[in-house]
Amino acid sequence: MSILNFDFSKEIQRLKKEKNAIILAHNYQISQVQEVADFIGDSLKLSRLAGETDASYIVFCGVHFMAETASIISPDKKVLIPDLEAGCSLASSINPKELLKWKNENPNAVVVSYVNTSAEIKALSDYCCTSSNAVKVVKSIPADQPVLFLPDMFLGAYVAEETKRNNIKIWPGECHVHAGITDKDINSMLAKYSNAEFMVHPECSCTSSTLYHVSKGDINKDCKILSTEGMMKEARESKNNQFLIATEVGILHRMQEENPSKEFIPVKNDAVCKYMKKITVEKVHNSLINDVYEVKVPEKIARKAIIPIERMLAIT
Ligand code: 13P
Ligand code: SF4
């Protein structure tokens, strides 16, 4: 059979059964990958699912830190990522040496790490959080205790604002995709679609200023700051029919599929994460056939990294 006629989806379904595998896909994956997945979700939902499954294999269609988190939570499962180059510019913005130095300079601080970090960074942290629970996690820490929040500065600024804490130090990291969604993009789209409901991911560089303008009444509109799964829920439950979405554009596929009568408009069409797009159905198939590429966190690191992850899972 020529490769052009090969039905990858059908073969993937067969291999999943044969190997007792599940496919987890992040909301930013390309549509064909979302369609072969068993579950689609945000970082928090996928972490929980990785901990609950009784499958022998987890094929993680997302980026490397997500597969690492699944391996830490489920050390007895074989976790595969279809392409090892699916990294994350935000996770790469801090290394263990830098964190150790920061901790030494702030010996009494509690370290809260966004889940978009390597396993080594998690192993040096007190709490993990995702975009859907960052505010709750920081609120759970006694108000007089200093916090080091890393690595996303826009999420950090949002958390500081929501918790009204002035004892948070924030690492100056950013996601190049979300940092590129600016005030200018928001303002021109709001002018064009004045009736649309407006949702923003907290990693966007426009998050703090948008919140500020909404609170001052300069933007005459409700703005919802949500994780990708929070956006999915809002799209489902809202009575509105038109939505402006400020995040990576991959999420629009699932939004439109699940809500065919509603209209979803990206604030920025070229907000594309090249790492998330590394995964294809061909690579998922290869992953299942050849057991590649296994993501296994060394036990010494995993034993420490599980502590902040479990603290996070217990809070939400
Ligand atoms: P979510 O947890 O909201 O899915 O975000 C993950 C991510 O990488 C955003 O860029
Ligand atoms: Fe990392 Fe940004 Fe891609 Fe999310 S969108 S995986 S934060 S580079």
Side-chain angles (χ1 to χ4, degrees):
M1 189 190 292
S2 109
I3 190 84
L4 291 174
N5 297 329
F6 190 78
D7 189 340
F8 281 103
S9 308
K10 206 166 146 199
E11 260 305 284
I12 287 170
Q13 300 312 327
R14 187 186 69 74
L15 286 164
K16 273 197 314 195
K17 277 203 195 105
E18 187 182 295
K19 301 187 83 148
N20 186 26
I22 59 160
I23 299 180
L24 302 182
H26 187 267
N27 287 317
Y28 298 158
Q29 290 291 293
I30 61 168
S31 53
Q32 295 92 326
V33 169
Q34 293 195 22
E35 277 153 22
V36 295
D38 297 286
F39 298 99
I40 309 165
D42 67 358
S43 310
L44 185 63
K45 178 172 161 188
L46 297 178
S47 303
R48 286 194 190 285
L49 287 163
E52 286 161 10
T53 181
D54 53 14
S56 314
Y57 284 79
I58 299 173
V59 180
F60 213 112
C61 300
V63 291
H64 195 264
F65 75 82
M66 296 179 179
E68 272 190 342
T69 307
S71 159
I72 295 165
I73 294 174
S74 277
D76 54 329
K77 309 269 183 313
K78 197 157 186 171
V79 178
L80 303 175
I81 189 161
D83 188 326
L84 276 175
E85 286 183 16
C88 168
S89 58
L90 177 57
S92 305
S93 69
I94 186 162
N95 64 41
K97 210 169 144 202
E98 289 167 324
L99 177 53
L100 280 171
K101 182 169 177 282
W102 205 28
K103 281 175 62 151
N104 284 337
E105 288 161 4
N106 298 277
N108 301 320
V110 175
V111 177
V112 180
S113 291
Y114 194 29
V115 74
N116 296 40
T117 44
S118 67
E120 284 112 309
I121 293 292
K122 291 184 177 80
L124 293 169
S125 305
D126 298 300
Y127 288 85
C128 275
C129 70
T130 72
S131 55
S132 65
N133 60 20
V135 172
K136 267 194 194 166
V137 168
V138 172
K139 274 188 176 163
S140 77
I141 298 165
D144 58 350
Q145 193 138 28
V147 171
L148 298 181
F149 188 95
L150 66 102
D152 190 85
M153 61 176 157
F154 301 113
L155 177 65
Y158 167 65
V159 168
E161 170 68 27
E162 288 294 297
T163 56
K164 304 282 173 239
R165 288 179 90 116
N166 53 15
N167 57 356
I168 302 191
K169 288 190 180 168
I170 300 166
W171 189 257
E174 62 175 31
C175 152
H176 67 292
V177 181
H178 287 89
I181 304 179
T182 62
D183 283 359
K184 207 162 146 240
D185 301 313
I186 299 281
N187 291 337
S188 71
M189 290 305 269
L190 284 176
K192 206 159 154 196
Y193 298 97
S194 51
N195 293 322
E197 182 175 332
F198 180 36
M199 297 190 225
V200 179
H201 194 279
E203 282 176 25
C204 293
S205 66
C206 57
T207 303
S208 324
S209 56
T210 302
L211 273 185
Y212 174 79
H213 290 304
V214 169
S215 72
K216 291 264 171 251
D218 306 342
I219 294 178
N220 188 15
K221 144 170 313 282
D222 207 18
C223 163
K224 302 215 161 63
I225 314 278
L226 296 165
S227 76
T228 58
E229 203 55 25
M231 288 184 179
M232 289 307 306
K233 184 167 181 282
E234 179 60 21
R236 220 166 22 244
E237 293 174 358
S238 168
K239 299 258 183 297
N240 289 314
N241 281 316
Q242 192 183 53
F243 301 81
L244 268 181
I245 309 295
T247 192
E248 209 271 358
V249 294
I251 196 169
L252 277 97
H253 168 73
R254 188 175 159 213
M255 274 182 175
Q256 203 60 75
E257 283 274 301
E258 290 185 12
N259 306 280
S261 64
K262 298 181 177 179
E263 186 188 7
F264 301 96
I265 304 151
V267 163
K268 200 157 182 262
N269 257 318
D270 59 354
V272 177
C273 174
K274 63 178 181 183
Y275 304 110
M276 285 281 180
K277 307 308 185 219
K278 287 273 174 198
I279 316 283
T280 61
V281 274
E282 288 83 349
K283 290 179 191 172
V284 174
H285 178 254
N286 180 50
S287 209
L288 283 162
I289 290 268
N290 295 314
D291 279 12
V292 288
Y293 297 91
E294 187 174 7
V295 177
K296 184 89 192 142
V297 176
E299 215 217 304
K300 204 170 140 219
I301 296 171
R303 231 183 308 121
K304 292 185 183 155
I306 190 72
I307 298 167
I309 296 174
E310 281 184 340
R311 284 187 184 142
M312 165 184 87
L313 294 175
I315 287 168
T316 46

